[in-house]
Amino acid sequence: MSRLRSTPFAALLGLLVGGCTSPAQTSGSTETPGSSSPVATSNPTGASGSSGTPTPSGTSGSGTKGSGSSGSGSSSGSGSSGSTGTPGTPGQTTATGVALDEDFASAGAQVFPTDNWWNLDVSGWSADSSSASLISKLPDVALHPDFGPPPYGIPYLSVPGSQALRQVTFTESGDESDPGAPGRAGYPIPDEAISTAGYIEDGSDAHLLVIDRDRWLLFETYATRWTSGHWEAGSGAVFNLATNDRRKEGWTSADAAGLAIFPGLVRYDEVYGSGEIKHALRFTLSGVTGHVYPASHDANTGGVLPLGARLRLKTSVNGKNPVDRTANPQMKKILVAMQRYGLILADTGSNMYISGTMDSRWNNDILNPAFGLLRTTDFEVLELGRQH
């Protein structure tokens, strides 16, 4: 797993549209978020995570795992990635204030401002002039939920503002990683993450997502593990969920595109809550090239779309709305979000795998058939690089 620097996407678009063939679907390659570098020593200019007013909060499918968000196998090297011990219970808060998959939807918590790129209603945006050509060069596959009950998907933790900060040594992308929150070096990783199953993503990507619910800060790490009495990660990023701060141009995050992971996940509390899903969803492709806004970081694995590209589910395919292919109201809610907010390409991985939370409450017998009703050709590419 290594990050490949690529030629800017704009310089390659004409060649790609004119004659590039679509990559074959793969099931094992993942993208390391960044280039090799030493441990970060300072909070870099342009990194997300400046202080702001906290937003109030409340106290995959079966089969092949997607390599974009879940990976395969275990975290390399010695040490624990949090995959042993008694599993955490979604929606419950421990005596120390740590919650797994907290219900932020019922509390009305706003994840990034409403005008953030994740939260924009793009139902009225124009398709890219090369949309049809680009879609034709993508693998025509059925969508797949890259989440479900353990071990599928990406869990998230929430902690109180009093949670002790732990130093993290970055082993791959230290020069593009945040050492911690502004003025408070370290990440609020609870000790339970050392031994509690389901606190860190299973597999080689080993993402750890922690939300300081009092300061409304998001901490994300990649290739996370506890080893020799300390925390290590390939890369890490801090985001202030009350602002639209973007990573410095050229920088990665815990994701290949330099974006936050949490805001793009399909979450149980949103799907089975009373409200709508009002944000775009994270997805992966095996082949990508370069990046466009809102992404900040390149990758080049031989594809036709750049990281940051946004797809939108069509409202009519052969005269019928694809949302109506499922009768399940919760699955319809997910498909409607794909029409209103779209999908954002955030990492390399299995083709058309949609990212979501690891949560024991998911039912694969509901998720898999509903997602399988959609294919790549049911989508269109929106204007590449559009900001608003």
Side-chain angles (χ1 to χ4, degrees):
M1 289 168 49
S2 62
R3 169 57 53 89
L4 300 175
R5 303 286 181 179
S6 67
T7 303
F9 177 75
L12 298 174
L13 181 57
L15 175 62
L16 292 170
V17 172
C20 181
T21 57
S22 62
Q25 181 164 354
T26 62
S27 60
S29 63
T30 57
E31 174 96 11
T32 300
S35 56
S36 179
S37 58
V39 177
T41 58
S42 62
N43 195 15
T45 303
S48 304
S50 58
S51 60
T53 303
T55 300
S57 63
T59 36
S60 101
S62 59
T64 304
K65 293 172 67 174
S67 58
S69 64
S70 293
S72 59
S74 59
S75 184
S76 60
S78 61
S80 169
S81 61
S83 59
T84 61
T86 303
T89 302
Q92 292 189 6
T93 303
T94 69
T96 57
V98 180
L100 174 65
D101 297 343
E102 181 173 344
D103 182 357
F104 288 117
S106 295
Q110 179 63 49
V111 178
F112 287 129
T114 56
D115 61 349
N116 184 270
W117 44 87
W118 283 109
N119 303 325
L120 293 175
D121 184 335
V122 298
S123 59
W125 285 21
S126 299
D128 192 86
S129 59
S130 301
S131 175
S133 178
L134 291 169
I135 290 293
S136 71
K137 292 175 174 60
L138 295 177
D140 183 19
V141 297
L143 269 63
H144 187 79
D146 198 10
F147 61 96
Y152 303 104
I154 305 177
Y156 63 93
L157 306 177
S158 54
V159 299
S162 59
Q163 175 65 49
L165 301 179
R166 305 301 182 192
Q167 298 297 314
V168 179
T169 300
F170 297 113
T171 59
E172 298 177 24
S173 304
D175 60 342
E176 296 177 14
S177 295
D178 299 331
R184 303 175 65 244
Y187 285 56
I189 305 175
D191 290 341
E192 292 95 322
I194 298 173
S195 59
T196 304
Y199 274 22
I200 298 175
E201 180 192 18
D202 185 70
S204 58
D205 279 7
H207 287 116
L208 173 63
L209 279 53
V210 181
I211 298 170
D212 180 334
R213 68 172 74 92
D214 296 327
R215 294 181 175 85
W216 208 225
L217 296 176
L218 171 64
F219 299 77
E220 298 186 341
T221 56
Y222 160 81
T224 315
R225 64 175 187 152
W226 173 262
T227 180
S228 302
H230 72 281
W231 287 101
E232 288 186 353
S235 58
V238 182
F239 298 88
N240 185 338
L241 294 175
T243 74
N244 283 331
D245 292 343
R246 181 171 170 264
R247 301 293 285 171
K248 184 178 179 180
E249 184 64 24
W251 278 33
T252 188
S253 59
D255 218 354
L259 299 171
I261 296 170
F262 174 70
L265 298 179
V266 179
R267 292 168 21 211
Y268 187 92
D269 61 324
E270 292 185 312
V271 173
Y272 287 92
S274 60
E276 301 175 3
I277 299 174
K278 295 185 176 181
H279 60 81
L281 306 179
R282 177 187 187 267
F283 84 107
T284 61
L285 289 174
S286 61
V288 301
T289 182
H291 79 274
V292 294
Y293 185 94
S296 60
H297 190 269
D298 277 355
N300 190 351
T301 57
V304 299
L305 284 181
L307 293 172
R310 193 186 302 249
L311 302 186
R312 180 180 60 200
L313 179 62
K314 297 176 181 177
T315 57
S316 179
V317 177
N318 296 325
K320 297 181 179 180
N321 190 336
V323 169
D324 294 331
R325 295 176 189 174
T326 177
N328 183 285
Q330 285 78 34
M331 297 302 100
K332 281 181 178 290
K333 184 186 292 189
I334 299 174
L335 271 54
V336 167
M338 294 180 185
Q339 289 182 332
R340 294 181 180 172
Y341 301 93
L343 310 176
I344 295 181
L345 181 57
D347 202 353
T348 58
S350 295
N351 290 309
M352 299 304 291
Y353 270 46
I354 312 301
S355 304
T357 60
M358 183 173 71
D359 194 310
S360 59
R361 297 169 292 185
W362 290 120
N363 185 337
N364 289 333
D365 292 334
I366 295 176
L367 292 173
N368 289 341
F371 277 71
L373 294 171
L374 300 179
R375 300 189 66 84
T376 309
T377 49
D378 293 322
F379 290 80
E380 53 193 347
V381 180
L382 299 188
E383 294 178 73
L384 292 172
R386 178 168 172 173
Q387 298 189 18
H388 295 288

